[in-house]
Amino acid sequence: MLMVMTGLLYVLIFFAGAAIFSFLNVVIYRVPLGKDFTKGRSFCPSCGHDLTFLDMIPVFGWLFLGGKCRYCKTRISPRYAIVELFGGIIAVFLCFFYGNYAKSVTVFAFFAILTVIALVDMDTMEIPDGFIVAVLVIGVVSFFTMPELHFVERIVGFFSVSLFLLLIALIIPGAFGGGDIKLMAAAGLIMGWKLNVLALFIAILGGGFYGIILLARKKKGRKDHFAFGPFLCLGLAISLLWGTELINWYLKFWNL
């Protein structure tokens, strides 16, 4: 009976995470258009028809409808369902990973904002300041829910990577956007300087590899830009979850 109850609990956690990320899909769609995401019902972007509860069941709504609008039969991007699925999986994963619910909720909120930032930046090449403010709020909350990270490490983390990116941007105009710089500053309050530096390193590796692929396929030229925010978000997520282990492995590898 206990196993059944535990299983049901994780099913509920999954759907809660998926439902939250379903709302984030609305944020990702409306914010770049300058629309208020707190008012009005969800609607089909193609025909404008209001969606019903059955249309908006996380993940399964998209599957039941065959990836098409019930009303105009226009194809719905699978990205909506993938984002919802990711939200459900990450909610359950964090409960297992941390065990501490306060910390799990804080990191879930951080990952939720990172997801929004990554996709909006991918679509628009911009990171709205409102999302940076959200990361700052989570950073303040993390002072209480993640007390193992010292205050000084957080403050150093706020300036370490962001000042470096700012310096590079001043030397090489357009190398990094203001949103990238502000994101790494805000994230430093949550990560501390060590994990924030590692996050930047991971992002540079990922972004560099992606850039090489674009050049090889002639999708971009040497002077063209692509959104770096998604790689920063990925680096932050990986570093927060496994950064300490990666740093310890690196130091042990070099006998430092």
Side-chain angles (χ1 to χ4, degrees), residues 17-244:
I20 292 171
F21 272 60
S22 180
F23 171 72
L24 295 183
N25 273 325
V26 177
V27 176
I28 293 166
Y29 172 75
R30 293 191 185 184
V31 167
L33 297 177
K35 295 183 178 180
D36 190 342
F37 59 83
T38 63
K39 297 179 181 179
R41 297 182 59 179
S42 295
F43 56 87
C44 171
S46 297
C47 65
H49 198 288
D50 287 344
L51 302 180
T52 67
F53 172 77
L54 293 177
D55 299 326
M56 297 186 294
I57 297 175
V59 183
F60 294 100
W62 185 88
L63 292 174
F64 292 154
L65 294 173
K68 297 179 180 180
C69 173
R70 181 194 301 274
Y71 311 99
C72 67
K73 306 304 179 184
T74 301
R75 181 179 177 274
I76 301 172
S77 172
R79 191 174 86 172
Y80 293 103
I82 292 172
V83 169
E84 294 168 350
L85 180 63
F86 175 71
I89 291 174
I90 202 66
V92 174
F93 171 76
L94 290 175
C95 288
F96 278 106
F97 191 82
Y98 289 117
N100 181 314
Y101 286 106
K103 188 172 183 177
S104 297
V105 170
T106 303
V107 175
F108 177 82
F110 183 43
F111 281 13
I113 298 301
L114 290 181
T115 302
V116 173
I117 289 173
L119 294 178
V120 169
D121 191 31
M122 190 184 301
D123 292 340
T124 67
M125 296 280 287
E126 293 182 2
I127 302 177
D129 287 340
F131 299 150
I132 304 300
V133 173
V135 176
L136 283 172
V137 171
I138 295 170
V140 173
V141 172
S142 72
F143 277 60
F144 305 96
T145 59
M146 303 165 68
E148 65 275 10
L149 186 61
H150 195 274
F151 176 80
V152 174
E153 287 188 74
R154 295 177 186 269
I155 299 302
V156 175
F158 183 89
F159 291 104
S160 57
V161 172
S162 58
L163 286 180
F164 172 73
L165 294 182
L166 177 60
L167 179 62
I168 296 298
L170 292 175
I171 296 174
I172 309 175
F176 296 101
D180 298 333
I181 298 170
K182 288 180 279 190
L183 169 62
M184 296 308 287
L189 290 179
I190 303 171
M191 310 283 290
W193 72 270
K194 294 178 184 178
L195 296 185
N196 217 27
V197 169
L198 176 61
L200 176 63
F201 177 72
I202 294 172
I204 291 174
L205 285 181
F209 182 70
Y210 179 68
I212 291 172
I213 293 176
L214 291 179
L215 288 173
R217 294 185 175 182
K218 298 183 179 180
K219 299 285 187 178
K220 295 279 188 179
R222 292 181 179 274
K223 295 184 179 181
D224 292 330
H225 297 280
F226 60 86
F228 191 56
F231 297 99
L232 288 175
C233 292
L234 179 62
L236 288 167
I238 293 174
S239 184
L240 185 58
L241 292 175
W242 299 290
T244 301

